[in-house]
Amino acid sequence: ADEIVAVSPLLLLEDVAFYRARGRSLRDVLGAGVTKDGRRIGRVCDILLAPDGDVEALVVERDGRSRTVGPGAVTVEAARVPAV
């Protein structure tokens, strides 16, 4: 009962403001800082998705090295503000 059924993906475009207010695009997340236990551990360089579309892990890069971390173990900083 907690599911949304859409017969067409175009139906999701009817309430774009809802998704923009509550979600983030991959473009926004890439390059964003990641913290764990209050310490910055790097920047998001990729996202690993499960077959059902859930975020399985974040690939975080720091000093040229990357590692994967579970999404529940970290905080992704606010999206970067693009230059005008």
Side-chain angles (χ1 to χ4, degrees):
D2 290 349
E3 296 179 1
I4 297 174
V5 177
V7 294
S8 167
L10 296 176
L11 290 175
L12 299 176
L13 295 176
E14 289 182 8
D15 197 5
V16 173
F18 173 86
Y19 296 102
R20 284 190 178 148
R22 290 168 179 78
R24 295 171 70 181
S25 73
L26 176 59
R27 180 177 294 156
D28 287 340
V29 174
L30 289 177
V34 179
T35 59
K36 181 176 183 178
D37 300 325
R39 293 185 2 238
R40 178 175 259 185
I41 61 170
R43 296 196 168 276
V44 177
C45 63
D46 205 354
I47 297 176
L48 304 178
L49 300 176
D52 65 0
D54 285 345
V55 175
E56 194 168 272
L58 301 174
V59 181
V60 178
E61 182 178 40
R62 182 174 182 170
D63 298 329
R65 296 181 183 187
S66 62
R67 67 178 180 160
T68 59
V69 294
V74 297
T75 301
V76 177
E77 296 173 355
R80 295 168 291 153
V81 177
V84 177

